[in-house]
Amino acid sequence: MQNPKLFMLMLGCRPAGRNTEQHDMFFAIGEQVKDLVPAIKAFWTEAKGNIHIDAWREVTQVNGYQVEVVPKAAIPAAEGSDKLFFLNLGGYKPGEFDEFHYKMLAVAPDQAGAVKQAKQTAFYKHTGFKGAASHIDDKFGVDVDEVYQVKDILTPEDKERYSLMITPNATEPEDDMHLGYFQLHKL
């Protein structure tokens, strides 16, 4: 791969036997989103190929840090003290029959630092009330739904071949987000 890039995608499908569309987050490395289609299908086999993308971004800038994909063989110690985390915050609004979610990336030295950043977001502060607090799903001893180091949830092939190098860089704009209904066969 000449120019490997980290992508974050929100996948959607309605598996057989389900009443509503289901979603999952997917991180992978490729040169273009369309390069990820085989890995997407392998990631969510229960969807039987009926997957679409609801949102995606190329991850290059996160809160004043540059994120680069580098070959593991070229720079085996690319990972410094700062790490890239994915967090899935969950929250509720009075009178709304739903759990709302906010997906975010954070650069921090550890999970506690990432969770601290999540708790500073407007979503966390304003989507909860007594008896239905904001949280981070599938928490590991913290008040958050999910929190993962991105390098740990890459595809097995990507984990074997690449590292993420994170360096301070406040001069670049935040990544563009692409939102909509993107069918895999039309990428």
Side-chain angles (χ1 to χ4, degrees):
M1 198 176 314
Q2 294 290 319
N3 188 18
K5 302 171 188 171
L6 174 63
F7 290 95
M8 172 182 177
L9 294 86
M10 181 170 45
L11 305 177
C13 85
R14 192 172 62 75
R18 300 289 178 211
N19 296 321
T20 60
E21 181 177 326
Q22 311 289 294
H23 292 97
D24 205 348
M25 298 303 296
F26 180 71
F27 290 85
I29 295 170
E31 290 187 290
Q32 303 175 64
V33 174
K34 71 179 183 177
D35 297 337
L36 307 177
V37 171
I40 290 168
K41 290 178 178 179
F43 171 73
W44 202 345
T45 56
E46 304 85 6
K48 301 194 185 329
N50 281 332
I51 304 171
H52 63 272
I53 299 170
D54 283 309
W56 68 272
R57 76 185 260 191
E58 179 185 335
V59 181
T60 62
Q61 288 293 128
V62 177
N63 296 3
Y65 288 87
Q66 182 174 359
V67 179
E68 293 178 89
V69 176
V70 296
K72 259 194 180 169
I75 308 174
E79 295 179 30
S81 62
D82 287 316
K83 296 164 184 61
L84 180 62
F85 290 89
F86 163 69
L87 297 97
N88 183 31
L89 286 68
Y92 306 94
K93 295 179 183 178
E96 296 279 340
F97 192 81
D98 205 352
E99 178 185 7
F100 298 91
H101 286 94
Y102 178 72
K103 285 115 178 86
M104 66 175 281
L105 295 175
V107 172
D110 54 28
Q111 181 176 306
V115 169
K116 184 177 179 182
Q117 287 180 42
K119 289 184 174 183
Q120 299 306 309
T121 64
F123 178 91
Y124 192 88
K125 292 177 181 179
H126 301 293
T127 52
F129 53 94
K130 186 175 176 141
S134 300
H135 58 281
I136 302 172
D137 281 339
D138 288 344
K139 55 192 174 267
F140 304 99
V142 294
D143 195 24
V144 176
D145 266 5
E146 284 100 20
V147 57
Y148 300 102
Q149 226 184 112
V150 171
K151 72 176 184 108
D152 294 336
I153 56 174
L154 289 170
T155 68
E157 298 79 19
D158 290 344
K159 284 191 253 187
E160 189 175 302
R161 295 180 63 196
Y162 299 104
S163 292
L164 300 178
M165 187 165 64
I166 300 166
T167 54
N169 181 355
T171 61
E172 297 295 319
E174 289 290 314
D175 300 326
D176 290 333
M177 293 189 195
H178 305 269
L179 308 172
Y181 184 86
F182 304 97
Q183 295 175 317
L184 297 187
H185 71 278
K186 291 185 177 181
L187 293 176

